Amino acid sequence: MMANRLWTAAVIVAFSALPGRAAGPATQPEAGPQVPEADIKQIEKQFELPKDADLKDAFKLLPERMEKIIRLGEALERNYPHASNLDIVRSLMLEAADYLARSSNTDAARKRRLEISARIMASNASPRQKLQADVFVTRAKILGDKLSAEEIDNEISSFAARYEKTNAAAGGVLYAALLSDETKRTRLRDSLIDKLESEYLEAPSIRYYLRNRFGRHPDVGRPFRAELLLLDGTKLSLPKDLLGKVVVVHF
């Protein structure tokens, strides 16, 4: 999972980028001076590994770099409190805080991750950008508040419902299924998995989680179909264009 940049989000969900800039701009209008692009790039650069660094040495740099990301982000929050692109900065801060919470496993690090998550949830960030923060907030609540089984089910169901009519709907159901699995709410988990299979199967990441996390095989028994573009620019529709023909598959 490491190329030029280290992404430290909890899971890879079923849409383009979570969290991060590629997820799209926040929905709030510009309300004040914007965070300069150069400052955002300075934060992003902290995720990049030195090209000539040994892998072990590079990983030793990570805690210090993640701390720097949070410090830079906090300064931008103070300097540009009403910027509509502040959600980009907070998403990057959350990635860093999540890495530190997982690697250090301390209460202080987990608390900071929740504090950043809460600020994202209170902002006008887009649903995709809020989703990851919401996972941390909801998870802390259902694992730490000694809720009844019914209350846990309600919290997880409410979590998924918050994203139902947004472009983060698939991720909302996926995260809800993962939270249900973690808390052993098997009936709710299974109903959410069924929903993933029936409504969101076109997303490649959904298929991955269905197979590798939940042991489902959504493609078994389904007809194979594909639309291919050939070298001459013509299209090939499978299987209908090859029905009744001998096909040699060459690797």
Side-chain angles (χ1 to χ4, degrees):
M1 292 208 41
M2 180 169 53
N4 293 329
R5 172 169 179 165
L6 295 176
W7 292 102
T8 57
V11 294
I12 300 174
V13 292
F15 36 79
S16 56
L18 243 182
R21 302 185 61 190
T27 55
Q28 75 182 69
E30 292 191 11
Q34 298 299 286
V35 177
E37 186 74 14
D39 289 334
I40 293 175
K41 288 187 179 299
Q42 183 184 9
I43 293 178
E44 290 179 324
K45 190 173 180 61
Q46 303 306 312
F47 287 98
E48 298 176 4
L49 292 174
K51 293 181 179 179
D52 56 349
D54 179 83
L55 195 57
K56 287 185 178 180
D57 292 337
F59 270 107
K60 290 178 182 178
L61 297 172
L62 282 178
E64 180 181 341
R65 288 196 173 198
M66 299 302 108
E67 290 287 355
K68 184 175 181 180
I69 287 168
I70 294 173
R71 290 197 305 272
L72 290 171
E74 288 172 342
L76 293 172
E77 286 183 305
R78 291 191 297 271
N79 294 336
Y80 303 93
H82 304 297
S84 62
N85 63 347
L86 196 57
D87 57 288
I88 298 171
V89 174
R90 287 180 175 138
S91 291
L92 296 169
M93 291 170 66
L94 184 58
E95 289 186 49
D98 182 39
Y99 176 86
L100 291 170
R102 291 169 180 276
S103 60
S104 68
N105 196 30
T106 65
D107 290 339
R110 286 189 289 270
K111 180 182 178 182
R112 183 165 57 178
R113 182 176 62 187
L114 278 177
E115 289 171 348
I116 296 171
S117 296
R119 296 203 294 276
I120 292 173
M121 293 301 297
S123 75
N124 288 323
S126 70
R128 286 186 176 182
Q129 290 164 324
K130 284 188 175 184
L131 181 59
Q132 181 69 70
D134 203 354
V135 170
F136 295 130
V137 172
T138 302
R139 185 176 182 273
K141 186 171 185 178
I142 62 178
L143 292 180
D145 285 357
K146 296 183 179 179
L147 302 180
S148 67
E150 183 179 359
E151 288 171 328
I152 291 174
D153 284 355
N154 289 338
E155 287 292 337
I156 295 174
S157 297
S158 296
F159 167 86
R162 285 195 284 275
Y163 302 93
E164 189 171 6
K165 298 185 183 301
T166 74
N167 61 0
V173 177
L174 174 58
Y175 275 131
L178 292 168
L179 289 169
S180 302
D181 192 49
E182 185 176 9
T183 52
K184 304 190 186 316
R185 306 305 303 145
T186 54
R187 183 175 297 180
L188 177 59
R189 177 202 63 196
D190 291 346
S191 69
L192 290 164
I193 293 172
D194 290 341
K195 188 177 181 70
L196 289 172
E197 283 192 337
S198 63
E199 299 182 27
Y200 302 109
L201 201 55
E202 295 308 310
S205 296
I206 294 296
R207 292 175 182 270
Y208 172 86
Y209 275 95
L210 287 172
R211 287 194 304 268
N212 296 284
R213 177 63 185 267
F214 300 120
R216 296 285 187 99
H217 301 281
D219 295 318
V220 173
R222 294 175 181 264
F224 173 76
R225 294 186 178 89
E227 296 289 330
L228 307 178
L229 184 64
L230 302 182
L231 293 176
D232 62 5
T234 60
K235 292 183 178 180
L236 179 68
S237 296
L238 300 177
K240 70 175 185 177
D241 288 349
L242 297 179
L243 289 176
K245 298 179 181 179
V246 176
V247 179
V248 177
V249 180
H250 175 67
F251 291 91

